[in-house]
Amino acid sequence: MVILTQKLPIWLVLVFIYLFSTPTFSQNDFLNSTCETAANYTSTFEKNLNTTLSVLPNTNSGLGFFNYSTGQGIDTVNSIALCRGDVNGSECQSCLNDSIVKARQDCPNQMEATVYDKRCLLKYSNQTILGKYQPKPYHFVVEDDQFSSDKDRFNITVKPLLDDLIAKAAAGDSLLKFATGNKTGSDYTTIYGLVQCTPDIISRQCIDCLIDIIYQFSINFWSSRTVGGITLLPTCNFRFETYPFFYERPPPGMRCIILLGLYG
Ligand SMILES: *[C@@H]1O[C@H](CO)[C@@H](O)[C@H](O)[C@H]1NC(C)=O
Ligand SMILES: *[C@@H]1O[C@H](CO)[C@@H](O)[C@H](O)[C@H]1NC(C)=O
Ligand SMILES: *[C@@H]1O[C@H](CO)[C@@H](O)[C@H](O)[C@H]1NC(C)=O
Ligand SMILES: *[C@@H]1O[C@H](CO)[C@@H](O)[C@H](O)[C@H]1NC(C)=O
Ligand SMILES: *[C@@H]1O[C@H](CO)[C@@H](O)[C@H](O)[C@H]1NC(C)=O
Ligand SMILES: *[C@@H]1O[C@H](CO)[C@@H](O)[C@H](O)[C@H]1NC(C)=O
Ligand SMILES: *[C@@H]1O[C@H](CO)[C@@H](O)[C@H](O)[C@H]1NC(C)=O
Ligand SMILES: *[C@@H]1O[C@H](CO)[C@@H](O)[C@H](O)[C@H]1NC(C)=O
Ligand SMILES: *[C@@H]1O[C@H](CO)[C@@H](O)[C@H](O)[C@H]1NC(C)=O
């Protein structure tokens, strides 16, 4: 690049740097995946899986939740997908597309796969998924390259923020159980938080799931001084950061209230 700058205009060099240094969205946002390794699937299961994964992205219930099942008996394939509550339709679709490819790569021949991305979750299994609270396995993601000077930040600022968001998310309906917020700590740093449950579970399961993952994170990382973190289960997840990482969009119900407020 240093040699190039002597011969090429600077804008062209910048274009080169941009093209070769910008990671793609999917690599950036992929978090982890889990596979069920008990047994390899049969050819009928594979056929059903292919059908399921090709139909699933077309089953949006309206606010980023998808479900589709194919087959009977031992060859049943159930699937769900959930986009983060603030992500729009096109970003949601592209995340699902990436996750389907990822699932096939990471879990070849497996009857169960869960793929976690910062923007969406995809799960398929021969077991029932809808309406079931799956309490394991946890995935923790911590930003370990940056640390806060405030050692009590998690207990004093982050946990109360997330606790406040639980009730808001759980009050959501069968289309969306999602909440975001922010809270400024004693060191004047603002923490941004997000919690979400799959909307097919009842309020009580959503509350139990979120209380549990916040507790699990707190016993493992309260003292790590991490400035950001994520905990994932197939049924619920949370994330917090010191910067706004979600889009500010009033939920559909709120928009009407704002309009009524303006015109009423
Ligand atoms: C995925 O999760 C497993 C188990 O929690 C962990 O050992 C592994 O490091 C994670 N991988 C990535 C890419 O974070
Ligand atoms: C599944 O298939 C792979 C190769 O296709 C093989 O290596 C593996 O042992 C099989 N696992 C089981 C549990 O049968
Ligand atoms: C299912 O899809 C995979 C990946 O797209 C493909 O490799 C495989 O041949 C398909 N299998 C069937 C039975 O259609
Ligand atoms: C959806 O969100 C992405 C990311 O913010 C943005 O680039 C895109 O323009 C949005 N699309 C629509 C249709 O609003
Ligand atoms: C997702 O994949 C489908 C089918 O492969 C394709 O038609 C669609 O354009 C893709 N959507 C996005 C947003 O990448
Ligand atoms: C799913 O597949 C596993 C492995 O073959 C099997 O043990 C289990 O009973 C299956 N579950 C259902 C609901 O069919
Ligand atoms: C922080 O939260 C308050 C409400 O508690 C809200 O009015 C404000 O817009 C939020 N700020 C950001 C940047 O999200
Ligand atoms: C699952 O999909 C069916 C249609 O295939 C729909 O009637 C049902 O409401 C969906 N369930 C949930 C919990 O979204
Ligand atoms: C923070 O919370 C954890 C888990 O509840 C607890 O073990 C720890 O003692 C608390 N730390 C402080 C400084 O209060």
Side-chain angles (χ1 to χ4, degrees):
M1 281 307 171
V2 173
I3 299 163
L4 281 176
T5 53
Q6 292 163 356
K7 306 205 168 173
L8 295 171
I10 186 72
W11 66 266
L12 195 56
V13 175
L14 291 176
V15 167
F16 266 96
I17 292 172
Y18 175 79
L19 285 178
F20 293 107
S21 65
T22 310
T24 67
F25 227 77
S26 51
Q27 281 166 334
N28 241 351
D29 288 353
F30 169 70
L31 293 169
N32 214 323
S33 55
T34 53
C35 311
E36 182 50 65
T37 52
N40 285 333
Y41 55 51
T42 63
S43 62
T44 315
F45 188 93
E46 178 177 299
K47 202 166 131 281
N48 290 341
L49 180 60
N50 287 9
T51 307
T52 302
L53 295 181
S54 67
V55 177
L56 181 69
N58 306 321
T59 64
N60 196 339
S61 64
L63 296 173
F65 185 65
F66 304 72
N67 87 83
Y68 194 70
S69 298
T70 318
Q72 283 168 352
I74 57 161
D75 291 317
T76 303
V77 180
N78 299 304
S79 70
I80 62 156
L82 176 72
C83 283
R84 212 174 65 197
D86 58 319
V87 157
N88 68 26
S90 50
E91 201 179 348
C92 176
Q93 283 294 331
S94 97
C95 186
L96 280 195
N97 283 7
D98 292 349
S99 298
I100 288 171
V101 172
K102 193 80 191 159
R104 304 309 292 261
Q105 277 170 1
D106 286 10
C107 307
N109 310 320
Q110 312 285 295
M111 296 175 102
E112 186 170 305
T114 310
V115 176
Y116 297 104
D117 184 282
K118 281 184 182 166
R119 298 160 297 151
C120 70
L121 144 85
L122 165 74
K123 177 171 179 174
Y124 58 75
S125 177
N126 69 332
Q127 320 264 0
T128 305
I129 305 175
L130 281 184
K132 269 178 57 178
Y133 164 23
Q134 195 191 320
K136 281 190 303 220
Y138 305 103
H139 281 293
F140 302 110
V141 181
V142 292
E143 313 265 0
D144 51 10
D145 53 344
Q146 272 187 302
F147 294 98
S148 162
S149 55
D150 177 3
K151 71 173 172 48
D152 294 332
R153 172 182 286 171
F154 188 83
N155 287 14
I156 290 174
T157 310
V158 180
K159 190 172 178 300
L161 167 63
L162 295 174
D163 285 347
D164 280 351
L165 296 175
I166 295 177
K168 274 208 243 167
D173 58 17
S174 62
L175 295 177
L176 187 68
K177 287 189 170 64
F178 173 74
T180 57
N182 64 78
K183 188 178 170 78
T184 303
S186 55
D187 61 351
Y188 303 107
T189 306
T190 299
I191 309 284
Y192 298 84
L194 175 157
V195 305
Q196 185 164 17
C197 297
T198 59
D200 57 313
I201 60 167
I202 59 170
S203 243
R204 186 69 244 169
Q205 290 172 311
C206 179
I207 292 170
D208 289 348
C209 187
L210 288 170
I211 287 177
D212 182 49
I213 58 174
I214 293 165
Y215 173 72
Q216 293 298 332
F217 189 92
S218 81
I219 58 175
N220 284 288
F221 300 107
W222 69 269
S223 64
S224 77
R225 299 190 184 194
T226 179
V227 298
I230 301 177
T231 301
L232 304 160
L233 276 180
T235 321
C236 72
N237 64 78
F238 74 74
R239 179 175 173 193
F240 67 93
E241 304 285 355
T242 48
Y243 55 89
F245 58 90
F246 45 79
Y247 306 115
E248 281 296 338
R249 282 201 200 106
M254 284 299 286
R255 258 175 240 145
C256 299
I257 293 166
I258 292 166
L259 285 176
L260 284 176
L262 284 176
Y263 296 109

